[in-house]
Amino acid sequence: MSFPAMRSAILAAKAIAPSAVGSMGAAPMATFATSAGSPRRKVAVLGAGGGIGQPLSLLLKLNSQVSQLALYDIAGTPGVAADVGHCNTKAQCKGYEQDKLAEAVRGCDLVIVPAGVPRKPGMTRDDLFKVNAGIVKGLVEAVGKHAPGAILNIISNPVNSTVPITAECLKAMGVYDKRKVMGVTTLDVVRAKTFYAEMKGLDVANVDVPVIGGHAGATILPLFSQATPKVPLSQEELEGLTKRTQDGGTEVVQAKAGKGSATLSMAYAAALFADSVLRGLNGTPTMEYTYVDSNVTEAPYFASKVKLSTEGVEKVFGLEGMTDYEKEGLKTMMPELMKSINAGIDFAKEASKAP
């Protein structure tokens, strides 16, 4: 695909005109529309050798807001960096392995964490938690020590737990800033837009669907009553769309016959979200949905609309205009969401006591 064609595709995905700013989805990826005075930004991908990390690294290489791209994993990243680095865009790439984590994150403006094992058939989110919690803790502690001012985008599942783990680790180190820790739930929004557009025969470039809650199963709550453009949905259609959005990850795992998970769509969604974070840092406020430290509900972490600005999350917006169906979904999700949050907090606290 040529750069002009890719630009058109990204514009369509973000559903805006090239000059638009400050709306949901922000603006096109900065490779194609960046002011000459944009600051130089270092971005790290921790887990860059994996199924999400490799395509995400490629997409970040296309973003001209990125001047340095640090790719870290336990093995293989020099090769990934050499491969991605041959793309003729301005970001300088370097791969880091094993004991080079500190060097990889030092000086970063944004650190994206897709590291961990993917979900496999029959694997619950709890199973995933046991493996990935320790991985995330170690990476976050390195960021807290060597790049305490960096924004963290957490992709590693289960996000409902790994974001609280991240926060607790940084709190224990005395460097926690709730504006700078975000769970990436953009894939839920991407899926909701896609499924809604397909069902109703809409141009997906013009579709927006808010998605709130968490990032697992029933904790994912798309607000189709607030979708644009607004088209009627039967109760059967509404329930089908909601269920499909919640089960999007399982749909991909099953389609890959247990040999993979949602890596490409997750990389795409993470790249869109990273672009919005960088635009906010560079002085163009953007609006996104993300899982953050929140007082919108009784849950201490919750995904809702936020304003991203020069320090990260500038404002967390409340919930408005929900239907009875959506209010019931919110009520139903809370026990599961709170259980996942508490599991993350408890893990981090117990880990901090270990010798």
Side-chain angles (χ1 to χ4, degrees):
M1 182 184 289
S2 67
F3 268 20
M6 192 178 295
R7 177 180 188 272
S8 296
I10 292 168
L11 285 173
K14 304 199 96 174
I16 55 147
S19 60
V21 294
S23 59
M24 198 63 62
M29 274 194 180
T31 296
F32 313 109
T34 304
S35 63
S38 292
R40 297 178 60 82
R41 298 293 184 185
K42 181 179 178 182
V43 178
V45 179
L46 309 186
I52 296 170
Q54 290 198 42
L56 174 57
S57 298
L58 173 61
L59 292 170
L60 291 169
K61 182 69 166 74
L62 301 180
N63 191 318
S64 67
Q65 295 179 105
V66 181
S67 57
Q68 296 181 68
L69 187 57
L71 307 181
Y72 173 83
D73 215 319
I74 56 175
T77 37
V80 176
D83 194 0
V84 171
H86 289 179
C87 298
N88 60 321
T89 62
K90 77 173 188 178
Q92 299 298 306
C93 297
K94 186 173 181 180
Y96 301 84
E97 294 179 308
Q98 298 179 1
D99 61 347
K100 300 297 184 180
L101 177 56
E103 186 180 347
V105 301
R106 191 173 288 118
C108 277
D109 300 286
L110 172 62
V111 177
I112 307 173
V113 186
V117 300
R119 188 155 58 105
K120 299 175 183 177
M123 195 178 198
T124 67
R125 297 278 173 174
D126 287 340
D127 295 332
L128 205 61
F129 169 81
K130 294 173 184 177
V131 179
N132 287 350
I135 295 173
V136 170
K137 178 179 180 292
L139 295 174
V140 167
E141 287 176 343
V143 175
K145 182 176 181 180
H146 301 287
I151 289 177
L152 274 156
N153 285 179
I154 305 298
I155 298 173
S156 305
N157 273 318
V159 168
N160 291 355
S161 299
T162 54
V163 168
I165 289 170
T166 298
E168 291 299 318
C169 288
L170 296 176
K171 287 176 185 177
M173 300 176 73
V175 294
Y176 179 57
D177 184 341
K178 68 179 182 179
R179 302 171 300 174
K180 297 186 176 184
V181 175
M182 309 167 199
V184 181
T185 59
T186 312
L187 181 53
D188 301 325
V189 177
V190 165
R191 285 173 171 154
K193 290 179 179 182
T194 300
F195 303 157
Y196 179 70
E198 287 177 351
M199 176 178 282
K200 305 309 291 186
L202 303 171
D203 181 353
V204 72
N206 299 320
V207 166
D208 188 35
V209 182
V211 183
I212 64 169
H215 186 56
T219 69
I220 301 167
L221 184 59
L223 304 181
F224 288 107
S225 70
Q226 298 177 32
T228 56
K230 179 71 172 177
V231 295
L233 291 172
S234 68
Q235 188 64 25
E236 182 179 1
E237 288 176 326
L238 175 60
E239 292 175 359
L241 281 172
T242 300
K243 183 65 173 172
R244 190 179 179 198
T245 303
Q246 292 171 338
D247 292 345
T250 300
E251 180 178 317
V252 174
V253 170
Q254 292 176 344
K256 291 186 176 181
K259 297 179 181 179
S261 58
T263 54
L264 300 176
S265 54
M266 183 66 248
Y268 166 79
L272 293 181
F273 186 71
D275 180 66
S276 287
V277 170
L278 290 169
R279 287 184 175 277
L281 283 175
N282 289 339
T284 301
T286 58
M287 304 292 183
E288 292 286 352
Y289 286 83
T290 180
Y291 182 71
V292 295
D293 191 319
S294 174
N295 59 10
V296 167
T297 68
E298 64 266 36
Y301 298 91
F302 194 82
S304 62
K305 185 169 75 172
V306 306
K307 180 181 180 181
L308 299 172
S309 192
T310 54
E311 297 299 322
V313 176
E314 179 180 317
K315 181 177 181 179
V316 179
F317 293 88
L319 307 179
E320 296 180 352
M322 295 174 64
T323 65
D324 290 342
Y325 176 80
E326 292 161 352
K327 290 177 182 176
E328 183 60 29
L330 179 62
K331 180 180 178 181
T332 300
M333 81 163 69
M334 276 301 162
E336 181 180 340
L337 182 58
M338 290 298 296
K339 179 181 177 182
S340 297
I341 292 169
N342 289 333
I345 293 172
D346 290 345
F347 171 85
K349 289 183 176 179
E350 285 300 314
S352 68
K353 297 176 183 177

